[in-house]
Amino acid sequence: MNKTNELALDNCIKCSICVTHCPVAKVTDKFAGPKQNGPDLERFRLEEPLAVHPSIEYCSNCKNCEVACPSGVSISTMNCRAKGEYVAKNGAPLRDRLLANVELMGDFARLMPGLVNWGGKVKLFRELAERIFNISADMTLPQYASKTFYELYRENKPPVSAKKVVYFPGCYVTYNTPEVGLALVKVMAHNGVEVLVEEFNCCGVPLIANGLLADAKNNARNNMRKLEKYIDAGYQIVTSCPSCNLALRREYGELFDMEKAHRLAEQVIDVFEYLQVLAENGELKTDFKHLSLTVGYHQPCHLKAVGCGVPSKGILDLVPGVEVNDLDAGCCGLSGSYGFKKEKYAISQEIGRQLFQAVKKKGLNRVITECGMCQLQIHHGTGAEVYHPIQVLAEAYGLGSDIK
Amino acid sequence: MTDKAQVVIIGGGATGTGILRDLALRGISAVLVEQGDLAHGTSSRFHGLLHSGGRYAVKDKEAARECIEENLILCRIAPSCIEPIGGLFVEMQGDDPEYTEKWVSACAEAGINAEETDVQEVLKSNPALSSNITRAFKVPDCAVDGFRILWGNVNSARKHGAKVITYSKVTKIHQENGSVTGVELLNKLTGEKKTIECEMVVNAAGAWAGEVAAMVGLEVNVIKDKGTLLAFNHRMMNKIVNRLRPPGDGDIFVPHGTITILGTTSQTVDSADANKPERQEVLDLLKIGKEMVPEIENFRLVRAFAGVRPLYQPGSSATGRSVSRGFALLDHQQMDGLNGFVSIVGGKFTTFRLMAERTADLVAEKLAVDAPCRTAQEPLTDPVPEELLKRGKKVFGIPGAKKAAERLGDDFARVIEEAEQNAEKRQVFCECEMVSRAEIDFVARDEDCHTLGDIRRKTRMGMGTCQGTFCGYRTLGALNKYEKFARSHREYLSVFLQKRWKGIRPVLWGQQLREAQLALGIYCSLFGMERMK
Amino acid sequence: MMNKKADVLVIGAGLSGLMAAAKAVEQGKKVLLVAKGMGALGLSSGCIDLWGYDIDQPDQVCSRPLQEIDKLIQVNPHHPYARVRDVLEESLDFFRKICAENGSPYLENEGGNWLLPTALGTMRPTYLVPASMAVKSLEEADKILVVGFKGLKDFYPDVLVANLQRNAELKPSCKLEPVLVEVGSEELKPAALAHRLERGEIIDKIVQQVKPLLSPGAVVLFPPVLGSSGGAGMAGRLADELGCPVYEVSNIPPALPGDRLQKTLLHHLKTRGVEVIIGSTVTTAHLEGNRCVKVTVRCLSGTMTISARVFVLATGSFLGGGLEADIEGIKESIFNLPVQIGAEEWSVQEFLDLKGQPFNKFGIAVNDHLQPVDESGQVLVKNLMVTGANLAGCNYPIEKCGNGVALATGYKAGKLVEVVHGE
């Protein structure tokens, strides 16, 4: 493929399927849809790099456009780059820099997680934050754990095994739901696989979504440095977060053109994909207990974008007593930092409505989904308890007690 | 109906409109008559290249000098019609290095600034180009928009009292006692007849000049040379790229706004209307283009198009005053004893202004007007004020505003105003080329605008990736309120789609075939238009 | 590299792929559906065109499409309908059953064609239509009110009105009136408009502006934006509020009826346990002898393989990506099956030629089990079936049979998975 055509710009036949499938454009006129700043303006940007329409600010980076495109156009990448150009020229508000810098927020919160979590629920503080930073006072903030995943991992190291993988936990597991990471470590150990961890940086997706491409690339470089020895040694790199998975598998190559990105992509694997391989080789333990659990399943947009299907489905189907209902109700709307922004909160909730309704209509009070942000939003919109599927599996192996 | 003017100019191409402006600026009353829409002929069917003269430096120094002089003048007077992106001449493996040396010194002699540049740098910023390039030189080539130059001429001329009549064919040229006295016109749209009394007729009909001269029983020998060109879907490089070797087919790539043009072929044809591009010509061009752009087949072609170049050949019976090897100004009083009839033939787009100047000099002399030519000094278009551009960006976005400003010139202000007042008019109708409803609506109201094709030429609506499939339908809908567009939707739309199809057919593979299948899905499956009444 | 396993792998998410998956999963198969993108069904009218015009008198709308297809098979035994005539009726019933179960009923017009207005004001024949588009007795209407929206740039009521007068048989006394309603937005996209209607935000505004223009015997036509999911809910609600019949007409993309049908069928598949992967392209097939064992898939994030016992190729024509044309020629993109061209030129001079553009007919030849065959009739890949626009011999834009062929061939492929696997 030639260089100027690497995003398959020429493949666009202007059919507008991407616009029809854009969850943001469906609920607001403020976003013209992915086609405008994607293949339409990309042709102009070859002459004038600043040819970016300001409505780009409303792109949530959910990637539904690219998944739906019947022509293989890298629409989302075009939009990400366009937003990068736009932010590089016009700057990003401090609020966006804060929200996108998930690690910084996490490191700050871990100094006094109790206080931060309490503060996040005090209306007065939230209103102040809304007034000063334009951070929505209505959106439920993520709860910070008292210890990070890395701390807990060091305290509960898995037994040494000849079979090893590296785990890239991602920020949400690191700071907010370390129990998901622990469940993963235990499930893998139960199957004879030792999970190694490193203190990685944020994968970069929140930065990319906010147009802070240089910062994101910096993170990518740091992570690549840490991953390099594992890539060279042929380790598989397991993720539990679809956005991290997508970043490592796709964005590092597509957006940042990084060396070894191709090999990294081949070695990164979703934890349930990994377990499926075990299952196929007859190596997956099936000593499940009966759970009598009915849950709704929400497929995160970024998992759709990864394109590996729903790997948790095949595994959870093996657990007796677990009934998984595919909600099939589209994007949750939060899209990382997007739904926390004051001017986008209503849009985010409106996008999620269909999903919330599907949960309520089916009378479900437990939902599973792989993405931390989707978990937060579904809980916010429905009050349901939301888990990562690995927690259900840990429960089935008798290794966890997360499921209430 | 009868009108009066000192001069009637036949032919609404670059030369004709250039003469119209020149005469108007000299205070000579003139009417331009065109059989179709302005620029429907050769002036819109070329590379869009404003030559630096480099291409002619070795073969024809005089033509090269004319080019560089005119290039500099046009860049000065019409900056909004020109993209001063610069050109490259590239020598490739197997090309004759001696020719390169000859070319370098020829450029110096002609006054063309040709500066050698680092090949690796060229390849880095133009990755589509072949790594077989051995040497590269920068020259002041520019991309030029033929439509805009023409419209600049016409708008400027109109301001000085000149008139333009389109879609009217000259059916007869009246003469009395060896002098031209007027022309008779037939309006091709309404069937109306009209007479214009005049003292002089200028035959600037380009490829049709022979036919015009025949009306007064004279012979003007124009060789009709068809040149086919290709339009690619996007900018493949950021500079114009010429092959550094004796000029031949398919050796110039011109990045032009959102697209790239590759051309051209050369073939003598019988008729000035023989502008149907053929698949074989496309294949020939691609084969040659591949030498410079090895992955040329992977770039999407949106269409092919062809123009008929009028090359002048002095016939045995005519001995023209050859003012240049590039073009000829024929004074038929001297040559044939017919007073008040002048033909201007040959030449190239780059030198249209010079051709107009020479013609107008002769006309002025004959009319005993001693006003000098001012077209080299008077700006053709006024630059659009920053403040307007800023307002434009608010309603049309950055590229939308920039392109509309370049196309509309002085009228941009009015279009902005309409879009500011009426939010609906901010809609982007042509999403491929970023043409707003406001602009389309404005252009459609022009008295010279009669078909969707006319709107296309004036706005670029329908010239992008989808080739009019979506915007043609929208435009029809929005213009239904104007009676002239509401007569027969079937006809307006199908003629438009058919003309697009003519250029798509020779490049019907890859994505363009998918696009065509989508278009048929829309117009046949969804609309059943093939049976529409 | 990740490998997935299934009984049946359906490649393509257009109508034929969705039908194949629906019929296969009904038989208890483990079905995986992989598609490059959301494909041509979403761009279609959302109606099931079966056969549009009389074979002998091509200017006459055909009154009995099923019988006309019998005739067609006699005169053109290479038409895809000839391969599926045995299941045509049951495939239509199966389709209607699924749609009805999922809240998007499709209506039949007593065995005949519907003749439905389009946004361009033409009348198009079609066989099964979503309830919201099933315009009844337009010829008896005393008034036809065509409602557009200010800001919706792809629908012009006055264009529809002007051409409907020329193209439809209406009562001489029938009044046609266009109206543009304002719902407070400068640029409306169909999906956004549908969403707002569903949220109930703008119904009052529409009713206020439309109702005063109605008179007894009136029919109201809307662009196809009445709700983002299938079913006649929104059209029905507007009809109740306005007190007269309300319908949607077909329009250019992005239009919603095709998209709704695609969503309905996908939802049906997902709730039946079909795993669906959209956005991933099957690039190569791996054959052992004349059987396919697995395919390679390129996802946004890398590559994987999928092995299956039976494969259904439902990747469409050029538009869908099933066929690829370059300067040299045409190939089928995954299995490299021979493409039947059967025409000297790919295209003809008149864009809207009444015989159609030849390239629309290019495709794969199959036997009665929909297995791809070579010129001598020899099966090329035994556990592969080819459906929909992939098939050779049908000029669907002109014949008005695209979704009909897709539906019936997809259904038959799904039905035959066991048979083909056993061969």
Side-chain angles (χ1 to χ4, degrees):
Chain A
M1 183 160 303
N2 52 63
K3 192 94 181 159
T4 48
N5 215 1
E6 62 189 353
L7 302 181
L9 169 62
D10 276 350
N11 289 14
C12 178
I13 52 166
K14 309 288 165 183
C15 69
S16 289
I17 281 182
C18 55
V19 183
T20 310
H21 286 85
C22 173
V24 180
K26 184 178 165 180
V27 304
T28 177
D29 297 333
K30 292 187 173 125
F31 186 45
K35 181 167 163 278
Q36 181 191 49
N37 271 302
D40 285 351
L41 283 174
E42 186 73 13
R43 287 174 72 238
F44 289 81
R45 282 195 289 274
L46 293 173
E47 183 185 9
E48 161 64 270
L50 282 177
V52 180
H53 195 278
S55 94
I56 190 70
E57 202 206 319
Y58 281 86
C59 169
S60 74
N61 190 33
C62 71
K63 306 204 180 281
N64 279 297
C65 48
E66 197 155 323
V67 170
C69 175
S71 309
V73 182
S74 297
I75 309 173
S76 160
T77 305
M78 290 175 187
N79 277 277
C80 284
R81 287 193 190 164
K83 194 185 262 185
E85 287 282 353
Y86 187 76
V87 167
K89 175 168 184 256
N90 300 295
L94 175 63
R95 188 263 325 259
D96 289 10
R97 291 184 176 277
L98 278 177
L99 288 177
N101 213 320
V102 184
E103 272 177 279
L104 187 82
M105 303 267 280
D107 285 340
F108 167 74
R110 64 185 281 206
L111 298 175
M112 36 190 172
L115 192 65
V116 172
N117 290 340
W118 171 77
K121 287 174 188 152
V122 175
K123 207 161 187 257
L124 179 71
F125 294 158
R126 294 299 301 274
E127 278 168 5
L128 267 174
E130 178 162 307
R131 226 171 296 155
I132 300 169
F133 291 119
N134 286 318
I135 295 176
S136 164
D138 299 316
M139 184 58 208
T140 306
L141 289 183
Q143 294 291 292
Y144 287 93
S146 50
K147 286 185 178 174
T148 66
F149 166 71
Y150 294 117
E151 288 169 320
L152 290 170
Y153 173 85
R154 282 193 289 270
E155 290 169 14
N156 305 278
K157 277 209 163 181
V160 175
S161 165
K163 233 181 182 175
K164 294 179 208 295
V165 295
V166 182
Y167 176 40
F168 189 98
C171 297
Y172 202 70
V173 163
T174 302
Y175 298 109
N176 305 101
T177 56
E179 64 274 13
V180 170
L182 287 184
L184 182 144
V185 174
K186 285 181 202 161
V187 166
M188 295 291 262
H190 187 71
N191 282 290
V193 182
E194 182 188 352
V195 171
L196 307 176
V197 299
E198 283 259 347
E199 296 221 8
F200 294 109
N201 283 96
C202 166
C203 68
V205 164
L207 294 161
I208 294 168
N210 282 283
L212 301 162
L213 296 190
D215 296 348
K217 188 166 184 182
N218 220 12
N219 279 18
R221 258 195 230 112
N222 289 338
N223 286 332
M224 273 305 242
R225 242 193 320 270
K226 289 171 191 165
L227 286 165
E228 204 152 21
K229 57 178 182 278
Y230 298 110
I231 300 173
D232 290 342
Y235 278 87
Q236 289 204 284
I237 297 145
V238 170
T239 63
S240 53
C241 165
S243 299
C244 298
N245 188 292
L246 190 69
L248 299 178
R249 264 177 167 170
R250 178 170 167 86
E251 312 288 36
Y252 286 13
E254 173 111 351
L255 263 176
F256 301 137
D257 211 7
M258 298 190 75
E259 223 186 311
K260 286 202 183 170
H262 185 67
R263 285 186 53 204
L264 173 66
E266 279 178 2
Q267 281 163 248
V268 171
I269 189 165
D270 178 88
V271 60
F272 277 96
E273 280 183 279
Y274 187 88
L275 295 171
Q276 262 192 5
V277 176
L278 289 187
E280 277 197 14
N281 298 337
E283 292 165 12
L284 184 80
K285 288 212 173 164
T286 49
D287 52 342
F288 303 114
K289 59 179 191 189
H290 192 278
L291 278 189
S292 44
L293 182 70
T294 302
V295 294
Y297 172 72
H298 164 69
Q299 189 182 14
C301 296
H302 282 184
L303 186 63
K304 281 185 192 160
V306 167
C308 59
V310 186
S312 63
K313 182 178 152 47
I315 303 293
L316 293 183
D317 279 351
L318 302 172
V319 180
V322 172
E323 191 195 322
V324 181
N325 292 288
D326 193 335
L327 293 165
D328 188 32
C331 177
C332 82
L334 187 58
S335 296
S337 58
Y338 191 85
F340 291 97
K341 298 174 182 175
K342 183 186 164 194
E343 75 281 8
K344 299 186 178 92
Y345 174 73
I347 294 172
S348 154
Q349 295 308 307
E350 192 56 37
I351 296 171
R353 254 176 61 87
Q354 205 187 342
L355 175 59
F356 306 156
Q357 276 176 345
V359 172
K360 288 175 190 162
K361 213 168 112 188
K362 292 202 158 109
L364 297 163
N365 45 23
R366 294 190 192 85
V367 174
I368 54 170
T369 187
E370 288 86 349
C371 166
M373 289 287 126
C374 299
Q375 290 161 16
L376 184 69
Q377 173 87 332
I378 295 169
H379 177 68
H380 175 75
T382 64
E385 294 301 327
V386 192
Y387 305 99
H388 192 285
I390 198 76
Q391 291 173 287
V392 176
L393 195 62
E395 199 80 18
Y397 279 133
L399 302 167
S401 53
D402 294 340
I403 311 288
K404 289 170 206 121
Chain B
M1 250 179 90
T2 305
D3 261 356
K4 261 187 188 169
Q6 285 174 283
V7 183
V8 168
I9 301 154
I10 302 173
T15 315
T17 57
I19 296 168
L20 186 73
R21 174 175 193 244
D22 198 317
L23 293 177
L25 288 176
R26 297 184 205 229
I28 297 170
S29 76
V31 176
L32 183 146
V33 181
E34 163 58 47
Q35 59 174 338
D37 187 24
L38 289 173
H40 77 95
T42 318
S43 298
S44 65
R45 299 169 175 277
F46 74 121
H47 269 114
L49 169 58
L50 189 64
H51 283 287
S52 60
R55 187 171 172 82
Y56 307 105
V58 173
K59 203 175 128 208
D60 187 341
K61 220 147 285 168
E62 194 182 331
R65 199 170 290 122
E66 279 171 8
C67 281
I68 187 65
E69 282 168 14
E70 285 301 306
N71 174 308
L72 296 174
I73 290 171
L74 287 175
C75 283
R76 202 173 59 232
I77 65 163
S80 66
C81 306
I82 290 163
E83 296 173 52
I85 52 174
L88 291 168
F89 273 78
V90 295
E91 177 200 279
M92 308 200 54
Q93 269 170 30
D95 288 346
D96 176 13
E98 274 176 38
Y99 181 82
T100 303
E101 293 310 325
K102 225 194 280 177
W103 180 83
V104 169
S105 50
C107 282
E109 283 170 41
I112 301 160
N113 182 18
E115 184 193 330
E116 181 145 20
T117 180
D118 181 43
V119 172
Q120 288 317 311
E121 280 301 307
V122 167
L123 293 178
K124 213 176 136 197
S125 48
N126 297 284
L129 291 179
S130 164
S131 53
N132 289 338
I133 293 174
T134 43
R135 295 181 76 180
F137 298 82
K138 284 200 246 181
V139 294
D141 279 347
C142 300
V144 62
D145 190 315
F147 302 117
R148 278 185 240 157
I149 290 271
L150 254 81
W151 276 99
N153 281 337
V154 168
N155 288 335
S156 163
R158 276 178 173 167
K159 270 188 219 159
H160 292 85
K163 267 192 194 165
V164 173
I165 301 172
T166 58
Y167 285 102
S168 290
K169 208 173 161 56
V170 174
T171 50
K172 202 170 177 189
I173 299 171
H174 295 292
Q175 345 174 7
E176 261 171 48
N177 308 325
S179 290
V180 165
T181 58
V183 298
E184 225 173 87
L185 306 181
L186 175 70
N187 186 314
K188 283 161 76 176
L189 299 172
T190 61
E192 247 173 82
K193 284 182 182 167
K194 186 178 187 142
T195 306
I196 305 174
E197 291 173 5
C198 63
E199 297 164 52
M200 284 195 75
V201 167
V202 176
N203 172 13
W208 288 266
E211 281 83 344
V212 169
M215 279 192 241
V216 286
L218 301 179
E219 191 188 329
V220 169
N221 200 5
V222 173
I223 296 176
K224 292 160 185 141
D225 183 49
K226 177 184 168 195
T228 294
L229 303 109
L230 305 179
F232 291 87
N233 184 46
H234 71 258
R235 280 175 91 90
M236 293 151 63
M237 55 271 298
N238 56 32
K239 286 202 175 329
I240 292 155
V241 184
N242 305 261
R243 184 79 175 265
L244 213 177
R245 65 178 181 193
D249 286 359
D251 53 7
I252 310 178
F253 287 87
V254 183
H256 214 295
T258 48
I259 62 170
T260 306
I261 296 173
L262 165 64
T264 158
T265 59
S266 172
Q267 185 203 351
T268 305
V269 290
D270 295 335
S271 158
D273 296 306
N275 57 14
K276 181 170 167 257
E278 300 294 341
R279 190 178 161 102
Q280 191 53 49
E281 295 170 319
V282 174
L283 299 181
D284 293 345
L285 280 170
L286 285 175
K287 201 172 154 208
I288 305 165
K290 195 175 166 71
E291 292 175 20
M292 285 203 276
V293 176
E295 289 197 56
I296 198 158
E297 287 115 346
N298 295 334
F299 289 95
R300 175 176 180 177
L301 278 165
V302 285
R303 66 187 288 108
F305 60 101
V308 178
R309 285 174 291 229
L311 304 179
Y312 177 63
Q313 192 179 50
S316 50
S317 60
T319 48
R321 176 165 64 126
S322 179
V323 288
S324 146
R325 266 165 270 179
F327 61 88
L329 177 61
L330 312 179
D331 179 350
H332 295 285
Q333 181 188 9
Q334 256 183 27
M335 292 162 57
D336 312 295
L338 177 61
N339 272 327
F341 193 71
V342 171
S343 294
I344 174 83
V345 288
K348 52 183 73 65
F349 187 91
T350 301
T351 57
F352 85 86
R353 195 210 58 84
L354 180 67
M355 290 158 69
E357 177 178 341
R358 297 285 161 83
T359 311
D361 282 348
L362 179 66
V363 170
E365 185 192 314
K366 288 189 180 288
L367 294 173
V369 176
D370 62 357
C373 174
R374 282 158 56 201
T375 57
Q377 291 84 36
E378 290 271 320
L380 184 64
T381 51
D382 294 325
V384 173
E386 260 315 299
E387 177 266 331
L388 256 187
L389 262 180
K390 247 189 213 159
R391 278 167 60 195
K393 280 174 193 170
K394 276 199 192 124
V395 283
F396 299 139
I398 292 179
K402 204 178 141 223
K403 299 284 173 194
E406 288 167 356
R407 283 190 294 261
L408 290 160
D410 296 347
D411 292 330
F412 185 54
R414 286 175 59 195
V415 171
I416 293 281
E417 245 165 61
E418 288 184 16
E420 282 170 344
Q421 281 159 16
N422 183 351
E424 209 179 19
K425 291 211 170 173
R426 293 172 210 161
Q427 289 172 338
V428 183
F429 261 28
C430 172
E431 295 176 354
C432 304
E433 293 295 315
M434 294 287 151
V435 186
S436 68
R437 179 171 182 169
E439 184 177 346
I440 286 174
D441 198 284
F442 180 83
V443 165
R445 294 198 299 264
D446 190 290
E447 56 178 307
D448 287 327
C449 201
H450 303 281
T451 68
L452 289 178
D454 295 352
I455 297 176
R456 174 180 68 76
R457 269 184 292 276
K458 292 177 177 81
T459 62
R460 282 194 68 78
M461 174 279 284
M463 308 250 275
T465 308
C466 89
Q467 289 287 297
T469 298
F470 290 88
C471 50
Y473 167 68
R474 279 174 201 140
T475 301
L476 181 84
L479 299 186
N480 184 61
K481 60 182 182 237
Y482 302 119
E483 205 193 326
K484 61 180 175 179
F485 290 102
R487 281 193 288 261
S488 164
H489 289 151
R490 149 108 208 171
E491 192 191 324
Y492 274 111
L493 197 51
S494 62
V495 167
F496 176 73
L497 293 170
Q498 183 60 34
K499 289 208 166 147
R500 301 282 79 201
W501 182 238
K502 177 180 159 192
I504 296 167
R505 259 192 96 204
V507 301
L508 196 65
W509 60 78
Q511 300 301 331
Q512 218 55 356
L513 182 53
R514 292 184 66 222
E515 193 79 65
Q517 202 165 47
L518 175 62
L520 284 166
I522 290 172
Y523 287 103
C524 295
S525 295
L526 282 168
F527 283 160
M529 198 179 151
E530 77 279 6
R531 289 180 168 88
M532 182 179 179
K533 289 173 199 138
Chain C
M1 201 190 294
M2 180 74 195
N3 181 57
K4 274 183 175 291
K5 273 188 188 160
D7 295 330
V8 181
L9 173 66
V10 177
I11 310 167
L15 184 57
S16 77
L18 295 168
M19 287 302 289
K23 188 61 190 168
V25 78
E26 192 198 48
Q27 297 165 73
K29 302 290 166 201
K30 187 182 176 202
V31 181
L32 182 58
L33 184 141
V34 175
K36 186 176 183 179
M38 289 302 266
L41 175 58
L43 303 171
S44 80
S45 64
C47 303
I48 307 299
D49 298 354
L50 215 52
W51 191 261
Y53 292 88
D54 203 285
I55 293 168
D56 299 325
Q57 291 167 287
D59 52 340
Q60 295 289 315
V61 172
C62 133
S63 56
R64 285 278 168 268
L66 284 163
Q67 289 164 24
E68 202 66 15
I69 288 169
D70 288 333
K71 203 154 100 193
L72 165 76
I73 294 169
Q74 297 300 315
V75 294
N76 180 5
H78 298 296
H79 198 280
Y81 273 139
R83 310 281 81 79
V84 293
R85 184 64 190 90
D86 53 333
V87 300
L88 196 47
E89 282 87 351
E90 69 179 81
S91 70
L92 292 166
D93 291 343
F94 180 75
F95 170 81
R96 289 188 63 192
K97 186 175 124 249
I98 295 178
C99 291
E101 276 170 16
N102 287 277
S104 310
Y106 268 66
L107 307 183
E108 210 188 67
N109 191 16
E110 295 162 10
N113 265 320
W114 298 87
L115 199 54
L116 302 183
T118 74
L120 195 58
T122 49
M123 299 295 284
R124 56 182 295 276
T126 184
Y127 190 73
L128 291 180
V129 300
S132 63
M133 300 177 89
V135 182
K136 286 182 202 91
S137 1
L138 202 61
E139 67 281 359
E140 280 158 30
D142 294 310
K143 175 165 191 171
I144 299 170
L145 186 68
V146 182
V147 182
F149 293 84
K150 218 169 170 208
L152 183 68
K153 66 183 175 188
D154 284 334
F155 187 76
Y156 296 89
D158 43 2
V159 169
L160 200 167
V161 161
N163 295 306
L164 196 64
Q165 251 153 351
R166 297 178 196 197
N167 289 278
E169 283 176 24
L170 304 172
K171 259 192 197 175
S173 61
C174 178
K175 278 192 220 114
L176 287 98
E177 187 178 343
V179 56
L180 269 186
V181 301
E182 175 121 37
V183 292
S185 190
E186 34 189 89
E187 179 147 2
L188 280 166
K189 286 172 287 293
L193 187 50
H195 179 75
R196 281 209 211 163
L197 273 159
E198 271 172 353
R199 295 285 276 127
E201 287 167 12
I202 52 174
I203 292 182
D204 288 350
K205 278 188 190 165
I206 296 171
V207 171
Q208 268 168 27
Q209 293 171 69
V210 171
K211 204 160 185 176
L213 306 173
L214 295 174
S215 52
V219 170
V220 184
L221 302 180
F222 274 90
V225 296
L226 304 183
S228 51
S229 46
M234 185 51 59
R237 184 165 167 195
L238 281 167
D240 289 345
E241 300 259 356
L242 294 171
C244 66
V246 166
Y247 302 106
E248 298 177 294
V249 302
S250 58
N251 199 11
I252 69 168
L256 301 178
D259 182 60
R260 290 176 198 145
L261 177 56
Q262 197 167 28
K263 269 193 205 137
T264 300
L265 295 175
L266 276 170
H267 187 76
H268 173 80
L269 296 183
K270 284 185 191 172
T271 53
R272 291 291 187 286
V274 174
E275 191 175 346
V276 174
I277 303 178
I278 309 276
S280 296
T281 309
V282 176
T283 54
T284 9
H286 304 268
L287 267 61
E288 275 173 15
N290 55 11
R291 300 188 78 85
C292 178
V293 285
K294 62 178 178 182
V295 293
T296 301
V297 184
R298 193 181 62 234
C299 335
L300 291 189
S301 61
T303 50
M304 64 172 168
T305 55
I306 299 174
S307 37
R309 298 193 299 146
V310 175
F311 295 81
V312 177
L313 185 67
T315 47
S317 180
F318 301 101
L319 181 55
L323 304 181
E324 287 171 12
D326 62 16
I327 303 174
E328 315 274 311
I330 294 170
K331 67 181 183 69
E332 184 281 311
S333 47
I334 300 170
F335 292 84
N336 205 12
L337 299 170
V339 179
Q340 229 178 39
I341 296 193
E344 291 215 346
E345 294 263 8
W346 294 6
S347 63
V348 292
Q349 191 156 340
E350 285 300 310
F351 178 64
L352 295 173
D353 193 292
L354 269 170
K355 290 207 177 68
Q357 294 294 342
F359 63 79
N360 283 320
K361 289 171 87 164
F362 299 173
I364 313 300
V366 292
N367 62 15
D368 281 344
H369 284 176
L370 300 178
Q371 294 158 304
V373 293
D374 64 13
E375 277 171 27
S376 66
Q378 203 65 32
V379 174
L380 294 162
V381 185
K382 285 212 153 164
N383 59 339
L384 174 68
M385 286 176 281
V386 185
T387 62
N390 261 131
L391 296 169
C394 127
N395 206 324
Y396 63 92
I398 291 293
E399 296 169 351
K400 320 294 173 196
C401 66
N403 278 347
V405 167
L407 190 159
T409 53
Y411 173 86
K412 185 162 184 179
K415 189 179 176 180
L416 291 183
V417 286
E418 199 55 53
V419 175
V420 164
H421 177 245
E423 274 182 26

